[in-house]
Amino acid sequence: MAKALEGFNFEQRHGKARVRVARVWRSKDGRHHFMVEWNVNISLLSNCVAAYVSDDNSDIVATDTMKNTVYVKAKECSEQLSPEKFAILLGEHFTSFYPQVYTAIVKIVEKPWERISVNSQPHDHGFKLGSEKHTAEAIVQKSSVLQLTSGIEGLSLLKTTQSGFEGFIRDKYTALPETRERMLATEVTASWRYSYESVSSIPQEPLYFNDHYLNVKKVLVDTFFGPPVGGVYSVSVQSTLLQMEKAVLGRFTDISSVQLKMPNIHFLPVNISSKDNGNIVKFNDDVYLPTDEPHGSIEASLSRFRSKM
């Protein structure tokens, strides 16, 4: 909320970033362990302009207090819950406990610890680090109005065929040949906005959004690759991106919008020859030079009508 200040519009917020917390839960018999590691970022919008203009800190929630609150609230969560639920819980606390705080923005990135299996049996308390990360952001207002977004970071996908790129603009700067046979690789960053508009309207199941995260990821992956036999042809990264977004909105009625960023990570065909040997290495859709710089940058969002994303 902007304030008029000496003839200017003034906006401010403050918070605590990169608060790392791990939480372990145990089954009733104490045998099975469940754990998460979260990186929590908090930003508070509050009425503390006096700290800027009058050297008066009496309305400031100390960022050290925010950090400690994360640990206390994690301790109070006696049952497993999703990062979305924890972000909402923190947002509700800051906007209800402090009169001067009118909006809390809480973003959580979950580190991908996965339970290991030994001899095909899930281990009671053993975990390994996976790849892509689960993200969540809750914007909670004092009135309990809610904006909730989930996402994925670092979802690496690659297929060795069923991809091409043809018919693009050609001019004097164009060196890229057209092809119907290329490798397609990307690292997906996805975010999706839920249609819930208040804290009271969200589903009560503690792990509801964890299940949604896994299901959205499956839809994205399945759409990218197509059927296990034969796959599906990709005309371009742009075309595949839109099909993935359509699949998410078509599958999940409580998601109002989805945004994907899909860099085109290049695997360049290798041809090597010399004047003495014309075919030291001749490319036949088999030898590539992997490179991630520079790469193509493709992103787009798809929303239902009336979505605010």
Side-chain angles (χ1 to χ4, degrees), residues 16-27:
K16 197 73 166 182
R18 301 178 66 83
V19 181
R20 296 178 61 183
V21 57
R23 180 62 159 99
V24 176
W25 294 275
R26 296 167 176 82
S27 59

Side-chain angles (χ1 to χ4, degrees), residues 6-7 39 69 72 76 80 97 160 162 171 174 181 201 205 246 259 264 268 270 278 284 288 302 304-305:
E6 299 175 357
N39 191 319
T69 301
V72 172
E76 291 176 355
Q80 284 181 268
F97 193 77
T160 56
Q162 284 286 60
D171 55 37
T174 305
E181 179 61 47
S201 67
E205 299 92 330
K246 284 183 176 180
Q259 182 179 45
N264 188 8
L268 306 177
V270 173
N284 189 27
Y288 299 83
L302 188 68
R304 304 185 196 279
F305 288 116

Side-chain angles (χ1 to χ4, degrees), residues 278-291:
N279 294 306
I280 301 174
V281 175
K282 183 173 176 58
F283 179 68
N284 189 27
D285 301 324
D286 53 4
V287 179
Y288 299 83
L289 170 64
T291 178

Side-chain angles (χ1 to χ4, degrees), residues 4-9:
L5 181 64
E6 299 175 357
F8 300 95
N9 285 324

Side-chain angles (χ1 to χ4, degrees), residues 148-159:
L148 182 64
T149 304
S150 297
I152 301 171
E153 291 181 356
L155 176 61
S156 296
L157 304 176
L158 179 152
K159 58 183 185 179

Side-chain angles (χ1 to χ4, degrees), residues 29-45:
D29 62 8
R31 176 183 170 188
H32 299 287
H33 291 198
F34 309 88
M35 70 86 63
V36 293
E37 181 182 343
W38 289 330
N39 191 319
V40 182
N41 293 271
I42 301 162
S43 185
L44 302 184
L45 283 66

